[in-house]
Amino acid sequence: MKNTLPGDPPLIKLFLFGPVTVIGEDGQDLTPKSKKARAILAMLALAPRGVRSRVWLRHQLWSIKNEDQAANSLRQSLSEIRRALGPVEKRCMQADKNTVALNLSIIDVDYMRARKADGDLDRSVYAPEQLLEDLDIADAEFEAWLRNERDVWAARLNTTSLSLRLQPRVADKDTSLVAKPATYGVGEQTKIAILPSMLMGETRFTERLMPQAHGYLRKGLDDIGDFRCIEPQGTQTDHWSHTPKDWIAVLPVDVPVAFQFRGFQTTDQIHMALQMQHIPSGRMIWSLQAEPVSIASSYQERAVHGLISAGLDATQSHLLTELPQLRDANICTNALATMMRLSAPDIDKAETILTDGLATKPTAQIHSLMAFLLTFRIGQRFQFEDAALIDRAQDHTSQALKTSAENALVQTLTAHVHSYLFGEYDFAAGLFEKALRRNPTQVLAWDLYSMLHAYAGQPSKALAMANWACHLGAQSPNRYYFETTRAITACFSGQHETALKAGEFALTERPEFNSILRVLVSSSAHLGRIELAHSYLQRLRQVEPDFTIEALREAGYPGLETDGGKHFVEGLLKAGVKPS
């Protein structure tokens, strides 16, 4: 594309706040008529380097159409844009068979000017809800994208000089990191900062990875629902600093913790770490260094996935332990951590937390967590009113999807309910796929999706997913849960040594967890270790005195009619479990 000379006026002006509008050099209105044509211009203007793939655009605007229909609709919208732009079209927009791009160097976009503004902005004009205010497009993927862009802009307004000036934490140099303790109301979002990355060495690869790492961490925190991300202006610095005071100084006083990625690149390896700092005291409360990854590896992006997953776990566990005043405020975090202990009293306590949350702030995350909790009640047989519990679970999943259908945690938990309780594997698989496209670091999605494959008769694929979930969740306080899934899927696929190893690890954390004991009974018997199988069966009967194969079927244990499920049952019978 031919650019204008430095100092030349832009060829067109593109306004994204308020109605999307395109104005030419002479003031003529060049705005396309259709909403989707205007949406394409906006999505390109907000894209990195102004470029998007055709596949991405089709998925965002025509997600419910088949590929041929979506491709045809995209071609028609691009033709409309060309007609609207007229003579300047070839210089402003370029499209090939794979991508569509805007030449942002010759387009004046109000969003970009606002980002660079030094002073405060008029919030009546630049408020998040004013961004693309006229693009009411009935496509869930577009709506999810638009919500995310507005959230990004809201965070920018609240954390940079574009908003009202932030009061420095304190002026006294002797107490530079001391803040008054903040108070938190029930259900109030906790602000968590993600500081610009610290890079060292040759940074070609680490610079490319960092935006992705920031994005996945932000998505993971947003999905939980208890947290609001604060990101100071800037992306990375070129030196290491143990205490990044310059960034912390501009944070709001009610930010309790901050994350920071660190990267170091040698000639052939990438080293990455993530740390969490307690802002009021300046104390580092958690850090983790990933295994080095080769620059030649095609899986460089996966190097950050384990860090993200561990960081999300650290957020939940450390905020509840380091800052107990947040326990009541963070409903979802508190409830999930409580229910994952999987004792009957903890399930009861988690349900009370969620019930109170629904009464005060009925979010999609709380609805989905309540449905998830009910699967434990049914699967662990704490109660026998299964029909009523299933009805409740279905109602909560419906409310969750109706409230926020594009949240990865909501998609994950509702997908599990639909696969585990209802056997709706196709519908559930679609939700899992959406969740993992949104955030592939979501360890619970990998774990629960692996169980779907086991239920659906694909135990080998299930085990592969379970192995990856265990890799991502290696630092998680819920690792035993992921190892339980690995044990079940390994048993279903005939990998009994793996099942025993994973099950025995999980059992050290949850010695009375009947799902683990069942697997250990079956796999021990398949390996011919009958005495060991009997010892596990004895422990299982202490938890479930009336355990039989018939009772297992009556409890609705999924996948028993698959080859893997039959193999699991065969092991139970070999160990002496009664058919009825």
Side-chain angles (χ1 to χ4, degrees), residues 370-371 374-375 377-379 383-398 417-418 420-424 554-557:
M370 182 67 86
L374 293 172
T375 66
R377 288 210 180 279
I378 296 165
Q383 295 183 11
F384 293 91
E385 302 157 351
D386 287 0
L389 293 176
I390 291 173
D391 286 344
R392 284 180 59 199
Q394 186 170 25
D395 180 61
H396 284 298
T397 56
S398 297
V417 172
H418 279 272
Y420 184 70
L421 296 185
F422 310 138
E424 297 174 350
E554 288 178 353
Y557 195 96

Side-chain angles (χ1 to χ4, degrees), residues 145-395:
W145 171 84
L146 180 55
R147 284 196 300 272
N148 182 66
E149 289 297 328
R150 287 173 174 171
D151 288 345
V152 169
W153 181 249
R156 186 178 296 277
L157 279 178
N158 289 329
T159 60
T160 70
S161 60
L162 301 182
S163 64
L164 295 175
R165 298 294 182 179
L166 294 175
Q167 188 70 25
R169 192 167 288 278
V170 286
D172 188 343
K173 64 180 180 180
D174 294 329
T175 56
S176 61
L177 287 178
V178 177
K180 294 181 179 179
T183 58
Y184 303 89
V186 174
E188 181 181 344
Q189 285 187 310
T190 300
K191 295 175 183 176
I192 292 182
I194 305 178
L195 302 181
S197 305
M198 291 289 185
L199 305 181
M200 188 174 179
E202 207 287 315
T203 60
R204 180 163 53 99
F205 289 96
T206 48
E207 281 182 342
R208 182 177 60 82
L209 288 173
M210 285 308 170
Q212 183 189 65
H214 277 239
Y216 284 144
L217 180 57
R218 183 173 59 248
K219 286 179 181 178
L221 290 168
D222 288 344
D223 284 338
I224 295 168
D226 287 337
F227 308 117
R228 176 183 168 195
C229 291
I230 303 294
E231 295 187 78
Q233 193 173 21
T235 55
Q236 65 243 348
T237 60
D238 59 0
H239 62 280
W240 292 79
S241 173
H242 182 69
T243 305
K245 295 182 180 180
D246 291 342
W247 296 117
I248 292 174
V250 300
L251 294 177
V253 295
D254 56 349
V255 176
V257 295
F259 276 109
Q260 187 172 51
F261 287 96
R262 299 191 169 199
F264 175 77
Q265 184 178 322
T266 62
T267 55
D268 59 352
Q269 284 188 325
I270 298 171
H271 301 256
M272 296 187 65
L274 179 62
Q275 68 179 37
M276 180 196 291
Q277 187 169 356
H278 183 227
I279 298 302
S281 68
R283 180 169 55 92
M284 188 185 301
I285 57 177
W286 175 87
S287 65
L288 180 67
Q289 183 168 341
E291 288 293 323
V293 61
S294 170
I295 289 176
S297 171
S298 59
Y299 297 101
Q300 292 170 10
E301 291 80 2
R302 291 192 177 185
V304 305
H305 289 185
L307 285 178
I308 302 295
S309 179
L312 294 173
D313 284 321
T315 302
Q316 298 178 62
S317 61
H318 282 270
L319 285 183
L320 294 179
T321 55
E322 297 283 337
L323 299 170
Q325 69 269 31
L326 293 174
R327 190 172 292 116
D328 292 333
N330 290 216
I331 295 170
C332 298
T333 301
N334 192 8
L336 184 58
T338 302
M339 79 170 74
M340 293 300 281
R341 292 195 285 266
L342 292 186
S343 70
D346 284 316
I347 294 292
D348 292 340
K349 183 178 178 181
E351 184 165 3
T352 299
I353 294 169
L354 293 172
T355 299
D356 292 344
L358 288 171
T360 57
K361 190 178 182 182
T363 65
Q365 290 95 330
I366 298 177
H367 276 295
S368 64
L369 282 166
M370 182 67 86
F372 186 49
L373 179 145
L374 293 172
T375 66
F376 290 130
R377 288 210 180 279
I378 296 165
Q380 298 307 304
R381 304 177 68 204
F382 293 140
Q383 295 183 11
F384 293 91
E385 302 157 351
D386 287 0
L389 293 176
I390 291 173
D391 286 344
R392 284 180 59 199
Q394 186 170 25
D395 180 61

Side-chain angles (χ1 to χ4, degrees), residues 513-539:
F513 190 15
N514 54 357
S515 289
I516 304 170
L517 289 166
R518 294 167 186 168
V519 167
L520 291 173
V521 170
S522 179
S523 287
S524 297
H526 275 300
L527 291 171
R529 303 172 190 174
I530 300 301
E531 186 175 343
L532 181 61
H534 287 168
S535 68
Y536 284 131
L537 181 56
Q538 185 177 3
R539 293 174 63 175

Side-chain angles (χ1 to χ4, degrees), residues 36 59-64 137-144:
K36 291 196 174 181
H59 180 69
Q60 299 300 318
L61 292 169
W62 295 279
S63 63
I64 61 174
I137 293 175
D139 191 292
E141 297 294 336
F142 176 81
E143 292 301 322

